[in-house]
Amino acid sequence: MITVKSDRELELMKIAGNIVYETHKYLKPYIKPGITTKKLNDMAEDFIISKGATPSCKGYEGFPFAICISVNDEVVHGFPSNYKLKDGDIVTLDICACYKGYHGDSGWTYAVGNIKEEDKYLMNHTEKALYEGIKQAKAGNHVGDISYAVQKYAEDHNLGVVRELCGHGIGTDLHEDPDVPNFGTKGTGPLLKKNMVIAIEPMLTYGDYSVYLDDNDWTVITDDGSNSAHFEHTVLITDDEPIIFTGDDK
Ligand code: MF3
Ligand code: CO
C-alpha cells in the first residue's frame, strides 16, 4: 500500500531528511586517503544520535552497521571495516536516519583524492540521472516515468543500470511501497499522488551491470569488477516541482 503523508508526518520527514543531509556534509571533509570506513561509520552514528535521531540501517533486517559504505566495485550495502580509503577510490556513503518514527534516506558517491577520468564521468552522470528521475516525480505521473527517465539518461551515456535494486517509498518504514526501479516504461506502474514520499536511487556502472552478492550476504558487487556510483534523494511529490528532503548538493 502506498501511503500519503499528513502535514505533521511531512514535517517530521523533512527533519529526518535534513539530518541525513547534515550528516553527509559533516562527513565529507573526512573522506580522505587514510581514514577507515569504520571511522566514518562511527562518526555518522554519533552525529545522527546527537541530532536526536537513530541510524535506520543499524539492525534493519539485521544490517550490522549504522550506515552503508561501498567502495569502488561495491554497488550498495557495503560493510564499514578497517579498510583505509586510498587515493583514487570512489566511495558511497548511504545514510538513513529515523527521527520521531520517520525516515530519511540519501546515498552519495564521493571521490577520494584524485580519481580517474572515467570515475568522474560515472559519478557526474549518475548524479545527473538521479535529477532526471526527480524531474518526473510529480503528481499525475507514474513511477515508470521516473524509471524511464533514469534509464534513458544512463544508457544515453553508456552507463549500466543495476537491475536488482531499486528506489522505494519511505515513511514510518525505511522501505515502503512503491518500488521505484531505475529502468522501465513511461506511463506504467503506480500513479504518483501529492504528499507521497519516495527515495529515488540510481545505481549505475561503468561496465556491465550484472552483480553478485558477497559472502557477507549483504554487499552487492559488480561481476566484472567495474566501478559503480549511487546517488539517492528522498523526495516529496507535489502538484508542482518535487521537494527534496535530503539537500541539493553534498
Ligand atoms: N538506502 C539503502 C536502501 O534503500 C538503505 C539500506 S539500509 C540497510 O537500500 F540496512 F538495508 F542496509
Ligand atoms: Co534507499
mmCIF file with all atom_site columns, all heavy atoms in Angstrom, residues 57 60 63 68 77 94 96 105 168 174-175 201 218 230 232, ligand 1:
data_model
loop_
_atom_site.group_PDB
_atom_site.id
_atom_site.type_symbol
_atom_site.label_atom_id
_atom_site.label_alt_id
_atom_site.label_comp_id
_atom_site.label_asym_id
_atom_site.label_entity_id
_atom_site.label_seq_id
_atom_site.pdbx_PDB_ins_code
_atom_site.Cartn_x
_atom_site.Cartn_y
_atom_site.Cartn_z
_atom_site.occupancy
_atom_site.B_iso_or_equiv
_atom_site.pdbx_formal_charge
_atom_site.auth_seq_id
_atom_site.auth_comp_id
_atom_site.auth_asym_id
_atom_site.auth_atom_id
_atom_site.pdbx_PDB_model_num
ATOM   1   N N   . CYS A 1 57  ? 19.724 2.197  9.350  1.00 0.00 ? 57  CYS A N   1
ATOM   2   C CA  . CYS A 1 57  ? 20.279 0.949  8.802  1.00 0.00 ? 57  CYS A CA  1
ATOM   3   C C   . CYS A 1 57  ? 20.611 -0.046 9.910  1.00 0.00 ? 57  CYS A C   1
ATOM   4   O O   . CYS A 1 57  ? 20.481 -1.258 9.722  1.00 0.00 ? 57  CYS A O   1
ATOM   5   C CB  . CYS A 1 57  ? 21.554 1.226  8.000  1.00 0.00 ? 57  CYS A CB  1
ATOM   6   S SG  . CYS A 1 57  ? 21.239 2.106  6.463  1.00 0.00 ? 57  CYS A SG  1
ATOM   7   N N   . TYR A 1 60  ? 18.491 -2.971 10.680 1.00 0.00 ? 60  TYR A N   1
ATOM   8   C CA  . TYR A 1 60  ? 17.456 -3.142 9.655  1.00 0.00 ? 60  TYR A CA  1
ATOM   9   C C   . TYR A 1 60  ? 17.670 -4.487 8.966  1.00 0.00 ? 60  TYR A C   1
ATOM   10  O O   . TYR A 1 60  ? 18.702 -4.711 8.336  1.00 0.00 ? 60  TYR A O   1
ATOM   11  C CB  . TYR A 1 60  ? 17.523 -1.997 8.633  1.00 0.00 ? 60  TYR A CB  1
ATOM   12  C CG  . TYR A 1 60  ? 16.482 -2.125 7.544  1.00 0.00 ? 60  TYR A CG  1
ATOM   13  C CD1 . TYR A 1 60  ? 15.183 -1.681 7.752  1.00 0.00 ? 60  TYR A CD1 1
ATOM   14  C CD2 . TYR A 1 60  ? 16.791 -2.730 6.334  1.00 0.00 ? 60  TYR A CD2 1
ATOM   15  C CE1 . TYR A 1 60  ? 14.218 -1.830 6.767  1.00 0.00 ? 60  TYR A CE1 1
ATOM   16  C CE2 . TYR A 1 60  ? 15.836 -2.881 5.341  1.00 0.00 ? 60  TYR A CE2 1
ATOM   17  C CZ  . TYR A 1 60  ? 14.560 -2.433 5.565  1.00 0.00 ? 60  TYR A CZ  1
ATOM   18  O OH  . TYR A 1 60  ? 13.602 -2.583 4.598  1.00 0.00 ? 60  TYR A OH  1
ATOM   19  N N   . PHE A 1 63  ? 21.068 -5.697 9.390  1.00 0.00 ? 63  PHE A N   1
ATOM   20  C CA  . PHE A 1 63  ? 22.279 -4.991 8.919  1.00 0.00 ? 63  PHE A CA  1
ATOM   21  C C   . PHE A 1 63  ? 23.079 -4.534 10.142 1.00 0.00 ? 63  PHE A C   1
ATOM   22  O O   . PHE A 1 63  ? 22.543 -3.887 11.030 1.00 0.00 ? 63  PHE A O   1
ATOM   23  C CB  . PHE A 1 63  ? 21.912 -3.805 8.018  1.00 0.00 ? 63  PHE A CB  1
ATOM   24  C CG  . PHE A 1 63  ? 23.112 -3.201 7.337  1.00 0.00 ? 63  PHE A CG  1
ATOM   25  C CD1 . PHE A 1 63  ? 23.647 -3.780 6.196  1.00 0.00 ? 63  PHE A CD1 1
ATOM   26  C CD2 . PHE A 1 63  ? 23.727 -2.069 7.862  1.00 0.00 ? 63  PHE A CD2 1
ATOM   27  C CE1 . PHE A 1 63  ? 24.782 -3.245 5.583  1.00 0.00 ? 63  PHE A CE1 1
ATOM   28  C CE2 . PHE A 1 63  ? 24.862 -1.524 7.256  1.00 0.00 ? 63  PHE A CE2 1
ATOM   29  C CZ  . PHE A 1 63  ? 25.379 -2.116 6.115  1.00 0.00 ? 63  PHE A CZ  1
ATOM   30  N N   . CYS A 1 68  ? 25.798 2.391  5.359  1.00 0.00 ? 68  CYS A N   1
ATOM   31  C CA  . CYS A 1 68  ? 26.406 1.503  4.357  1.00 0.00 ? 68  CYS A CA  1
ATOM   32  C C   . CYS A 1 68  ? 27.539 2.277  3.683  1.00 0.00 ? 68  CYS A C   1
ATOM   33  O O   . CYS A 1 68  ? 27.344 3.440  3.288  1.00 0.00 ? 68  CYS A O   1
ATOM   34  C CB  . CYS A 1 68  ? 25.403 1.112  3.279  1.00 0.00 ? 68  CYS A CB  1
ATOM   35  S SG  . CYS A 1 68  ? 23.893 0.368  3.887  1.00 0.00 ? 68  CYS A SG  1
ATOM   36  N N   . HIS A 1 77  ? 25.263 -1.447 0.097  1.00 0.00 ? 77  HIS A N   1
ATOM   37  C CA  . HIS A 1 77  ? 25.246 -2.253 1.330  1.00 0.00 ? 77  HIS A CA  1
ATOM   38  C C   . HIS A 1 77  ? 26.632 -2.758 1.719  1.00 0.00 ? 77  HIS A C   1
ATOM   39  O O   . HIS A 1 77  ? 26.764 -3.862 2.255  1.00 0.00 ? 77  HIS A O   1
ATOM   40  C CB  . HIS A 1 77  ? 24.262 -3.436 1.218  1.00 0.00 ? 77  HIS A CB  1
ATOM   41  C CG  . HIS A 1 77  ? 22.856 -3.009 0.874  1.00 0.00 ? 77  HIS A CG  1
ATOM   42  N ND1 . HIS A 1 77  ? 21.896 -3.850 0.383  1.00 0.00 ? 77  HIS A ND1 1
ATOM   43  C CD2 . HIS A 1 77  ? 22.249 -1.793 0.961  1.00 0.00 ? 77  HIS A CD2 1
ATOM   44  C CE1 . HIS A 1 77  ? 20.768 -3.184 0.176  1.00 0.00 ? 77  HIS A CE1 1
ATOM   45  N NE2 . HIS A 1 77  ? 20.952 -1.930 0.516  1.00 0.00 ? 77  HIS A NE2 1
ATOM   46  N N   . ASP A 1 94  ? 25.855 5.627  2.185  1.00 0.00 ? 94  ASP A N   1
ATOM   47  C CA  . ASP A 1 94  ? 24.389 5.571  2.125  1.00 0.00 ? 94  ASP A CA  1
ATOM   48  C C   . ASP A 1 94  ? 23.894 5.727  3.558  1.00 0.00 ? 94  ASP A C   1
ATOM   49  O O   . ASP A 1 94  ? 24.109 4.855  4.404  1.00 0.00 ? 94  ASP A O   1
ATOM   50  C CB  . ASP A 1 94  ? 23.951 4.240  1.512  1.00 0.00 ? 94  ASP A CB  1
ATOM   51  C CG  . ASP A 1 94  ? 22.495 4.258  1.103  1.00 0.00 ? 94  ASP A CG  1
ATOM   52  O OD1 . ASP A 1 94  ? 21.773 5.209  1.464  1.00 0.00 ? 94  ASP A OD1 1
ATOM   53  O OD2 . ASP A 1 94  ? 22.068 3.305  0.427  1.00 0.00 ? 94  ASP A OD2 1
ATOM   54  N N   . CYS A 1 96  ? 20.913 6.704  6.373  1.00 0.00 ? 96  CYS A N   1
ATOM   55  C CA  . CYS A 1 96  ? 19.483 6.760  6.680  1.00 0.00 ? 96  CYS A CA  1
ATOM   56  C C   . CYS A 1 96  ? 19.338 7.128  8.156  1.00 0.00 ? 96  CYS A C   1
ATOM   57  O O   . CYS A 1 96  ? 20.068 6.603  8.997  1.00 0.00 ? 96  CYS A O   1
ATOM   58  C CB  . CYS A 1 96  ? 18.828 5.410  6.472  1.00 0.00 ? 96  CYS A CB  1
ATOM   59  S SG  . CYS A 1 96  ? 19.089 4.700  4.841  1.00 0.00 ? 96  CYS A SG  1
ATOM   60  N N   . ASP A 1 105 ? 16.555 9.146  3.758  1.00 0.00 ? 105 ASP A N   1
ATOM   61  C CA  . ASP A 1 105 ? 17.490 8.208  3.124  1.00 0.00 ? 105 ASP A CA  1
ATOM   62  C C   . ASP A 1 105 ? 18.189 8.916  1.967  1.00 0.00 ? 105 ASP A C   1
ATOM   63  O O   . ASP A 1 105 ? 17.521 9.428  1.063  1.00 0.00 ? 105 ASP A O   1
ATOM   64  C CB  . ASP A 1 105 ? 16.651 7.014  2.612  1.00 0.00 ? 105 ASP A CB  1
ATOM   65  C CG  . ASP A 1 105 ? 17.465 5.891  1.980  1.00 0.00 ? 105 ASP A CG  1
ATOM   66  O OD1 . ASP A 1 105 ? 18.690 5.991  1.931  1.00 0.00 ? 105 ASP A OD1 1
ATOM   67  O OD2 . ASP A 1 105 ? 16.826 4.910  1.542  1.00 0.00 ? 105 ASP A OD2 1
ATOM   68  N N   . HIS A 1 168 ? 12.343 3.404  -3.596 1.00 0.00 ? 168 HIS A N   1
ATOM   69  C CA  . HIS A 1 168 ? 11.244 2.896  -2.760 1.00 0.00 ? 168 HIS A CA  1
ATOM   70  C C   . HIS A 1 168 ? 10.482 4.037  -2.109 1.00 0.00 ? 168 HIS A C   1
ATOM   71  O O   . HIS A 1 168 ? 11.025 5.128  -1.915 1.00 0.00 ? 168 HIS A O   1
ATOM   72  C CB  . HIS A 1 168 ? 11.840 1.992  -1.668 1.00 0.00 ? 168 HIS A CB  1
ATOM   73  C CG  . HIS A 1 168 ? 13.014 2.614  -0.949 1.00 0.00 ? 168 HIS A CG  1
ATOM   74  N ND1 . HIS A 1 168 ? 12.871 3.375  0.192  1.00 0.00 ? 168 HIS A ND1 1
ATOM   75  C CD2 . HIS A 1 168 ? 14.335 2.651  -1.255 1.00 0.00 ? 168 HIS A CD2 1
ATOM   76  C CE1 . HIS A 1 168 ? 14.073 3.820  0.557  1.00 0.00 ? 168 HIS A CE1 1
ATOM   77  N NE2 . HIS A 1 168 ? 14.984 3.404  -0.304 1.00 0.00 ? 168 HIS A NE2 1
ATOM   78  N N   . LEU A 1 174 ? 11.505 2.278  6.435  1.00 0.00 ? 174 LEU A N   1
ATOM   79  C CA  . LEU A 1 174 ? 12.571 2.735  5.531  1.00 0.00 ? 174 LEU A CA  1
ATOM   80  C C   . LEU A 1 174 ? 12.237 2.363  4.090  1.00 0.00 ? 174 LEU A C   1
ATOM   81  O O   . LEU A 1 174 ? 12.467 3.147  3.172  1.00 0.00 ? 174 LEU A O   1
ATOM   82  C CB  . LEU A 1 174 ? 13.891 2.103  5.978  1.00 0.00 ? 174 LEU A CB  1
ATOM   83  C CG  . LEU A 1 174 ? 15.148 2.460  5.213  1.00 0.00 ? 174 LEU A CG  1
ATOM   84  C CD1 . LEU A 1 174 ? 15.402 3.957  5.231  1.00 0.00 ? 174 LEU A CD1 1
ATOM   85  C CD2 . LEU A 1 174 ? 16.351 1.716  5.806  1.00 0.00 ? 174 LEU A CD2 1
ATOM   86  N N   . HIS A 1 175 ? 11.716 1.185  3.917  1.00 0.00 ? 175 HIS A N   1
ATOM   87  C CA  . HIS A 1 175 ? 11.323 0.731  2.573  1.00 0.00 ? 175 HIS A CA  1
ATOM   88  C C   . HIS A 1 175 ? 9.823  0.499  2.554  1.00 0.00 ? 175 HIS A C   1
ATOM   89  O O   . HIS A 1 175 ? 9.333  -0.435 3.175  1.00 0.00 ? 175 HIS A O   1
ATOM   90  C CB  . HIS A 1 175 ? 12.051 -0.566 2.200  1.00 0.00 ? 175 HIS A CB  1
ATOM   91  C CG  . HIS A 1 175 ? 13.512 -0.381 1.992  1.00 0.00 ? 175 HIS A CG  1
ATOM   92  N ND1 . HIS A 1 175 ? 14.432 -1.372 2.181  1.00 0.00 ? 175 HIS A ND1 1
ATOM   93  C CD2 . HIS A 1 175 ? 14.226 0.695  1.600  1.00 0.00 ? 175 HIS A CD2 1
ATOM   94  C CE1 . HIS A 1 175 ? 15.651 -0.925 1.913  1.00 0.00 ? 175 HIS A CE1 1
ATOM   95  N NE2 . HIS A 1 175 ? 15.550 0.337  1.569  1.00 0.00 ? 175 HIS A NE2 1
ATOM   96  N N   . GLU A 1 201 ? 16.950 6.319  -6.468 1.00 0.00 ? 201 GLU A N   1
ATOM   97  C CA  . GLU A 1 201 ? 18.359 5.979  -6.238 1.00 0.00 ? 201 GLU A CA  1
ATOM   98  C C   . GLU A 1 201 ? 19.009 5.176  -7.350 1.00 0.00 ? 201 GLU A C   1
ATOM   99  O O   . GLU A 1 201 ? 19.213 3.979  -7.221 1.00 0.00 ? 201 GLU A O   1
ATOM   100 C CB  . GLU A 1 201 ? 18.531 5.275  -4.890 1.00 0.00 ? 201 GLU A CB  1
ATOM   101 C CG  . GLU A 1 201 ? 17.625 4.110  -4.597 1.00 0.00 ? 201 GLU A CG  1
ATOM   102 C CD  . GLU A 1 201 ? 17.928 3.498  -3.226 1.00 0.00 ? 201 GLU A CD  1
ATOM   103 O OE1 . GLU A 1 201 ? 19.108 3.315  -2.917 1.00 0.00 ? 201 GLU A OE1 1
ATOM   104 O OE2 . GLU A 1 201 ? 16.996 3.211  -2.478 1.00 0.00 ? 201 GLU A OE2 1
ATOM   105 N N   . TRP A 1 218 ? 25.151 -9.389 2.214  1.00 0.00 ? 218 TRP A N   1
ATOM   106 C CA  . TRP A 1 218 ? 24.626 -8.026 2.104  1.00 0.00 ? 218 TRP A CA  1
ATOM   107 C C   . TRP A 1 218 ? 25.174 -7.257 0.906  1.00 0.00 ? 218 TRP A C   1
ATOM   108 O O   . TRP A 1 218 ? 24.431 -6.676 0.141  1.00 0.00 ? 218 TRP A O   1
ATOM   109 C CB  . TRP A 1 218 ? 24.959 -7.202 3.372  1.00 0.00 ? 218 TRP A CB  1
ATOM   110 C CG  . TRP A 1 218 ? 23.932 -7.337 4.432  1.00 0.00 ? 218 TRP A CG  1
ATOM   111 C CD1 . TRP A 1 218 ? 24.020 -8.115 5.556  1.00 0.00 ? 218 TRP A CD1 1
ATOM   112 C CD2 . TRP A 1 218 ? 22.661 -6.689 4.480  1.00 0.00 ? 218 TRP A CD2 1
ATOM   113 N NE1 . TRP A 1 218 ? 22.880 -7.984 6.292  1.00 0.00 ? 218 TRP A NE1 1
ATOM   114 C CE2 . TRP A 1 218 ? 22.031 -7.116 5.662  1.00 0.00 ? 218 TRP A CE2 1
ATOM   115 C CE3 . TRP A 1 218 ? 21.984 -5.792 3.654  1.00 0.00 ? 218 TRP A CE3 1
ATOM   116 C CZ2 . TRP A 1 218 ? 20.756 -6.663 6.026  1.00 0.00 ? 218 TRP A CZ2 1
ATOM   117 C CZ3 . TRP A 1 218 ? 20.715 -5.347 4.015  1.00 0.00 ? 218 TRP A CZ3 1
ATOM   118 C CH2 . TRP A 1 218 ? 20.127 -5.785 5.188  1.00 0.00 ? 218 TRP A CH2 1
ATOM   119 N N   . HIS A 1 230 ? 26.316 5.618  -6.934 1.00 0.00 ? 230 HIS A N   1
ATOM   120 C CA  . HIS A 1 230 ? 24.946 5.552  -6.388 1.00 0.00 ? 230 HIS A CA  1
ATOM   121 C C   . HIS A 1 230 ? 24.609 6.914  -5.797 1.00 0.00 ? 230 HIS A C   1
ATOM   122 O O   . HIS A 1 230 ? 25.323 7.391  -4.910 1.00 0.00 ? 230 HIS A O   1
ATOM   123 C CB  . HIS A 1 230 ? 24.941 4.464  -5.301 1.00 0.00 ? 230 HIS A CB  1
ATOM   124 C CG  . HIS A 1 230 ? 23.661 4.309  -4.547 1.00 0.00 ? 230 HIS A CG  1
ATOM   125 N ND1 . HIS A 1 230 ? 23.647 3.791  -3.269 1.00 0.00 ? 230 HIS A ND1 1
ATOM   126 C CD2 . HIS A 1 230 ? 22.377 4.604  -4.855 1.00 0.00 ? 230 HIS A CD2 1
ATOM   127 C CE1 . HIS A 1 230 ? 22.395 3.745  -2.838 1.00 0.00 ? 230 HIS A CE1 1
ATOM   128 N NE2 . HIS A 1 230 ? 21.605 4.241  -3.787 1.00 0.00 ? 230 HIS A NE2 1
ATOM   129 N N   . GLU A 1 232 ? 21.272 9.124  -4.281 1.00 0.00 ? 232 GLU A N   1
ATOM   130 C CA  . GLU A 1 232 ? 19.894 8.929  -3.803 1.00 0.00 ? 232 GLU A CA  1
ATOM   131 C C   . GLU A 1 232 ? 19.398 10.141 -3.026 1.00 0.00 ? 232 GLU A C   1
ATOM   132 O O   . GLU A 1 232 ? 20.115 10.679 -2.181 1.00 0.00 ? 232 GLU A O   1
ATOM   133 C CB  . GLU A 1 232 ? 19.860 7.711  -2.868 1.00 0.00 ? 232 GLU A CB  1
ATOM   134 C CG  . GLU A 1 232 ? 18.521 7.495  -2.175 1.00 0.00 ? 232 GLU A CG  1
ATOM   135 C CD  . GLU A 1 232 ? 18.509 6.276  -1.253 1.00 0.00 ? 232 GLU A CD  1
ATOM   136 O OE1 . GLU A 1 232 ? 19.586 5.939  -0.709 1.00 0.00 ? 232 GLU A OE1 1
ATOM   137 O OE2 . GLU A 1 232 ? 17.446 5.685  -1.086 1.00 0.00 ? 232 GLU A OE2 1
HETATM 138 N N1  . MF3 B 2 .   ? 19.456 3.360  1.141  1.00 0.00 ? 1   MF3 B N1  1
HETATM 139 C C1  . MF3 B 2 .   ? 19.547 1.941  1.364  1.00 0.00 ? 1   MF3 B C1  1
HETATM 140 C C2  . MF3 B 2 .   ? 18.474 1.252  0.576  1.00 0.00 ? 1   MF3 B C2  1
HETATM 141 O O1  . MF3 B 2 .   ? 17.484 1.863  0.277  1.00 0.00 ? 1   MF3 B O1  1
HETATM 142 C C3  . MF3 B 2 .   ? 19.437 1.673  2.816  1.00 0.00 ? 1   MF3 B C3  1
HETATM 143 C C4  . MF3 B 2 .   ? 19.720 0.299  3.160  1.00 0.00 ? 1   MF3 B C4  1
HETATM 144 S S1  . MF3 B 2 .   ? 19.743 0.144  4.853  1.00 0.00 ? 1   MF3 B S1  1
HETATM 145 C C5  . MF3 B 2 .   ? 20.278 -1.407 5.049  1.00 0.00 ? 1   MF3 B C5  1
HETATM 146 O O2  . MF3 B 2 .   ? 18.611 0.086  0.233  1.00 0.00 ? 1   MF3 B O2  1
HETATM 147 F F1  . MF3 B 2 .   ? 20.198 -1.636 6.303  1.00 0.00 ? 1   MF3 B F1  1
HETATM 148 F F2  . MF3 B 2 .   ? 19.496 -2.245 4.345  1.00 0.00 ? 1   MF3 B F2  1
HETATM 149 F F3  . MF3 B 2 .   ? 21.473 -1.516 4.623  1.00 0.00 ? 1   MF3 B F3  1
#
